[in-house]
Amino acid sequence: MNWRRGLLLAGVNLAIVVPVLVWKEARFWPTTGTDTSSRLGAHFESVLFQEEMALDLDPCHWYDIGSPRLEEVGALANLPIALVTGWHEPCLTRTPLGRLVRRALGARNHIAEITDCGCLTLLVSIQWALVGGLPLVHPKRWWLEPGAFITSAAVVGAAFALIPMMYMLARIALVLVGLAWFWWCGLLIWKPVHLAWQSTLGGLRRLSN
């Protein structure tokens, strides 16, 4: 196990993921409370009356709360975790992980929001410690290894995502990231099958001799 390589890839990917999580939470932080017990089941009722129309000001009730472009990079760079957890959204209502945390710690409180973000960062760290520390192939060129390729493409995609005029190039990088994850999954399936086949052939050769 190459822990140094695994921690390096984990650190690079966390450098993309964590700022986005902090940015999203900062937008909703004022609408959440610090006292878990007093916020359980709470409903944010702030409305603005204008021309006899009520406008709900609670961002948790908006249909589309929006997301920074960099979040797409972080989610696709961590595609297995994103598929399992639903990634992250403030208010914890539209993702499996968020709903789980919400049931355990209550709604609309800082502890639940921090726990959701903490779980994601922990899962990202474990994922890349394993993917980076246990490479499935050892090509001559380091960037042809799936884990290194995904991380490199994510860094390029994140850089392009920060430049509005370059966002289409960021999308190209994201497509490559998605394909690289399918490549990694293919190797993950093929490796045990190949080893089992080689072991079977070796056993048959020994029996024939």
Side-chain angles (χ1 to χ4, degrees):
M1 178 94 178
N2 190 343
W3 287 108
R4 183 176 179 180
R5 185 176 186 275
L7 292 176
L8 175 62
L9 295 188
V12 173
N13 283 277
L14 285 175
I16 297 174
V17 170
V18 172
V20 180
L21 294 179
V22 173
W23 182 86
K24 290 194 72 172
E25 282 301 322
R27 298 171 61 195
F28 291 82
W29 202 252
T31 68
T32 57
T34 56
D35 184 359
T36 306
S37 60
S38 65
R39 303 291 283 189
L40 286 173
H43 183 64
F44 193 88
E45 297 289 353
S46 177
V47 294
L48 173 67
F49 290 95
Q50 183 177 8
E51 297 181 0
E52 299 181 354
M53 294 182 64
L55 176 63
D56 193 345
L57 296 181
D58 184 1
C60 288
H61 299 163
W62 299 345
Y63 178 76
D64 184 6
I65 61 177
S67 61
R69 293 170 176 174
L70 195 60
E71 185 177 28
E72 297 181 18
V73 178
L76 270 176
N78 298 277
L79 187 59
I81 293 175
L83 292 176
V84 172
T85 65
W87 205 237
H88 173 72
E89 58 93 22
C91 310
L92 313 180
T93 58
R94 292 199 286 261
T95 66
L97 176 61
R99 290 192 292 269
L100 179 64
V101 172
R102 189 182 176 99
R103 286 195 296 268
L105 298 176
R108 309 307 298 274
N109 66 84
H110 290 170
I111 295 176
E113 298 285 344
I114 292 174
T115 300
D116 187 66
C117 293
C119 289
L120 276 179
T121 55
L122 178 61
L123 290 173
V124 169
S125 301
I126 294 173
Q127 170 189 267
W128 285 105
L130 295 176
V131 171
L134 296 170
L136 298 177
V137 291
H138 299 275
K140 293 181 179 179
R141 298 184 178 183
W142 65 270
W143 50 270
L144 289 177
E145 192 276 320
F149 182 86
I150 292 168
T151 302
S152 301
V155 171
V156 173
F160 284 141
L162 294 174
I163 306 172
M165 298 298 295
M166 298 290 186
Y167 188 54
M168 290 305 298
L169 294 178
R171 287 189 173 276
I172 294 176
L174 293 182
V175 171
L176 295 177
V177 167
L179 293 175
W181 272 118
F182 282 109
W183 175 23
W184 183 86
C185 290
L187 287 174
L188 186 64
I189 296 171
W190 177 80
K191 273 284 187 180
V193 172
H194 178 70
L195 290 174
W197 177 249
Q198 291 295 325
S199 178
T200 301
L201 289 179
L204 291 175
R205 291 193 188 97
R206 287 192 295 270
L207 288 175
S208 63
N209 292 332

